[in-house]
Amino acid sequence: MPSFGPARLGDQLSALLPPDATGILVAFSGGADSTALMLALSALRQAGGLDLRLRAVHVDHGLQSASRAFASQCRRVARRLRIPLALRRIEVPLQSGQSIEAAARAARRDVFAAVLRPRECLLLAQHADDQLETFLLQALRGAGVAGLASMPERQGFAAGWMLRPLLPWSREDLRAWLETQEVGWVEDPTNADPRFDRNYLRNSVLPGIVARWPAAAATVARSARLAAQASAVLKREGTKDAESAAVGPDLEIAILRRLGPERQRQALRAWLARRDLPLPDEDRLIELQRLLDVRDDAQPCVRWPGVEIRRHDGLLVAIEPRPPSAGGVRLDWRWRHRRRLDLPDGGSLELRDDPHGDIDIGKLPDVIQVGLRGDLGRRTTACDLKSLLRESRVPVWQRDGVPLLFDGANLVAVADLWFEAALKPGPGVRHRGRFVWRRR
């Protein structure tokens, strides 16, 4: 690839920008790489080689004392180049078992997704050396072809696209050009901290590799492209298999069982990706495959952060876990004033007028006490709840959220599944209705 500069960047963007793109948003950290990208884009715009709206965003994580200085440097550069800059200060939430690097990356990605406008392109300043580091880190973690594909040059993201136009150039290429521009940049002191895997690889391992194999970045980039091609084929096949097994948002287990183990894995990944759910690690994926072969009346569950997978009625069901509701909740429902009641678990209960309904609305008490089954226990009532819920095919994980309706101490209805005989309308009754339960 020829030396870096605005014209070369323009050629690269011509190949990467979607034809219906409406603008460019630069992820601007203030470091050398993103500064080179900003300056080259500005020069390209001045030369008439870029007619899209250009703006930038800087994310201040507040993780180090120098972060405000980074933000100030970004403002100075953006002001000089007359590029609008959005500054976002955030707190990085750290989940159990998550590294600070991963948490900051996820938080930054959330900001980018929120700021990106429809059909706008987010430009990241990752380059050939970053790609080499990513490939090696993925290989050391035992990644498959999807991981070894590393960072694509273009991918869909939020309301638009994510582009990495600098992948053909090395860190040295970018800095050599940047040093001719008389514009400063910031150096992140954490980039020298060997506690972080990427820094250790960059500073202690890669110099020896590049000294022995100078073309390592280019050859590994080729391997990443080949892995990306193989990954795309596997994703297409997995998507086809997932679509053939789809029953609404769920998957039919009998169809998945007909597939070989590798096709099952690809189908499961494609299904979860289509639902925008977190993908499992290798161990959870193996557990998920075992879920296909348990007996039909079993109620197993495979969990990982952000998702639960269960079986129900011959289907594989993906659920986003929610915290349990507070115990002992009982609501007074004055249904004459509001026909819809929001339940503590996120569901709802509604009383609808229906000329063919099975309930005489005139027989209902003015105030109905409503509680969730899980809050009120499994005490004996006028209805065999366990049998009712099983026969009504209510999934096990939803049964504690079934609303029970009381008139004082008397159970008068269970969601829209059962009501006591005394509520049935007699001959000539016109004011009829029915309950409608919306599950969370």
Side-chain angles (χ1 to χ4, degrees):
M1 171 64 68
S3 299
F4 178 75
R8 302 302 182 191
L9 177 62
D11 293 340
Q12 178 74 347
L13 286 174
S14 296
L16 292 180
L17 283 169
D20 56 341
T22 58
I24 287 175
L25 174 67
V26 182
F28 187 28
S29 70
D33 307 328
S34 62
T35 300
L37 178 58
M38 285 276 283
L39 264 65
L41 286 168
S42 176
L44 185 62
R45 182 177 62 177
Q46 290 178 10
L50 183 66
D51 58 1
L52 292 176
R53 180 185 63 244
L54 177 60
R55 63 194 189 101
V57 58
H58 174 76
V59 180
D60 181 358
H61 305 88
L63 294 175
Q64 51 182 302
S65 58
S67 65
R68 290 190 178 273
F70 297 167
S72 297
Q73 170 66 10
C74 289
R75 279 195 292 265
R76 284 193 293 270
V77 172
R79 190 180 303 117
R80 169 178 170 173
L81 301 178
R82 297 183 179 178
I83 297 175
L85 175 69
L87 179 62
R88 296 290 183 269
R89 291 189 175 92
I90 60 171
E91 292 185 6
V92 178
L94 190 60
Q95 299 179 7
S96 176
Q98 188 180 36
S99 70
I100 191 65
E101 294 171 285
R105 187 164 54 247
R108 187 165 60 245
R109 190 181 180 95
D110 288 344
V111 171
F112 293 155
V115 172
L116 196 68
R117 295 168 181 166
R119 292 186 290 135
E120 192 174 36
C121 294
L122 173 68
L123 267 58
L124 304 182
Q126 290 153 331
H127 46 68
D129 296 301
D130 292 321
Q131 186 77 305
L132 173 59
E133 294 163 10
T134 300
F135 184 94
L136 293 176
L137 285 170
Q138 292 288 354
L140 291 169
R141 292 165 183 163
V145 291
L148 294 177
S150 302
M151 300 181 295
E153 286 189 311
R154 185 176 82 181
Q155 65 190 104
F157 178 72
W161 299 270
M162 180 184 290
L163 274 58
R164 296 179 175 89
L166 303 186
L167 287 183
W169 293 281
S170 68
R171 181 181 292 108
E172 183 180 352
D173 293 330
L174 299 176
R175 294 205 176 200
W177 178 80
L178 184 57
E179 287 171 353
T180 69
Q181 301 304 302
E182 299 180 355
V183 173
W185 65 85
V186 294
E187 294 285 357
D188 187 343
T190 63
N191 286 340
D193 190 339
R195 292 177 299 173
F196 300 125
D197 291 343
R198 187 176 288 271
N199 292 345
Y200 176 78
L201 187 67
R202 177 185 303 156
N203 300 320
S204 300
V205 177
L206 283 180
I209 291 177
V210 174
R212 180 65 181 261
W213 296 283
T219 54
V220 165
R222 184 167 64 248
S223 295
R225 286 194 297 272
L226 293 172
Q229 293 169 11
S231 178
V233 171
L234 291 173
K235 284 181 180 178
R236 282 197 298 270
E237 294 304 310
T239 298
K240 289 179 184 177
D241 285 334
E243 289 174 350
S244 69
V247 179
D250 309 322
L251 292 184
E252 188 173 343
I253 292 171
I255 293 178
L256 290 175
R257 282 175 173 167
R258 298 173 196 160
L259 306 175
E262 292 306 318
R263 287 180 63 185
Q264 285 179 355
R265 293 157 74 86
Q266 293 302 325
L268 291 169
R269 288 192 184 102
W271 171 55
L272 293 166
R274 185 181 63 185
R275 298 280 308 274
D276 291 325
L277 293 171
L279 296 181
D281 58 24
E282 192 75 9
D283 291 340
R284 293 296 177 274
L285 192 58
I286 292 172
E287 284 186 53
L288 196 49
Q289 283 185 280
R290 290 174 180 158
L291 205 66
L292 304 177
D293 296 320
V294 300
R295 69 182 191 274
D296 290 340
D297 62 344
Q299 297 293 338
C301 176
V302 178
R303 295 183 179 91
W304 60 90
V307 65
E308 290 182 1
I309 307 295
R310 294 180 178 265
R311 288 176 56 118
H312 178 66
D313 268 3
L315 300 175
L316 216 55
V317 182
I319 307 161
E320 295 183 60
R322 298 193 185 188
S325 61
V329 174
R330 186 178 284 208
L331 306 174
D332 288 337
W333 184 17
R334 291 173 171 80
W335 57 269
R336 294 186 188 278
H337 302 288
R338 51 176 179 144
R339 288 296 188 93
R340 174 190 165 101
L341 179 68
D342 293 326
L343 300 172
D345 72 336
S348 67
L349 189 64
E350 185 179 356
L351 177 61
R352 293 183 183 174
D353 290 319
D354 184 343
H356 305 291
D358 295 327
I359 293 175
D360 182 347
I361 291 182
K363 293 181 178 180
L364 291 172
D366 290 336
V367 180
I368 300 174
Q369 289 81 41
V370 181
L372 302 184
R373 175 177 180 258
D375 295 329
L376 300 175
R378 275 73 169 175
R379 64 185 181 181
T380 302
T381 67
C383 168
D384 183 349
L385 284 175
K386 184 175 181 180
S387 297
L388 173 67
L389 298 179
R390 184 174 60 249
E391 292 166 3
S392 301
R393 311 189 87 81
V394 178
V396 169
W397 61 91
Q398 292 183 345
R399 292 180 185 176
D400 277 354
V402 174
L404 306 182
L405 286 67
F406 290 87
D407 178 8
N410 299 319
L411 181 70
V412 296
V414 177
D416 52 8
L417 308 174
W418 173 91
F419 58 90
E420 68 170 350
L423 294 180
K424 287 187 176 182
V429 172
R430 294 184 178 181
H431 196 189
R432 296 173 175 234
R434 59 188 176 92
F435 292 114
V436 178
W437 174 38
R438 299 290 184 190
R439 307 176 192 185
R440 72 173 189 180

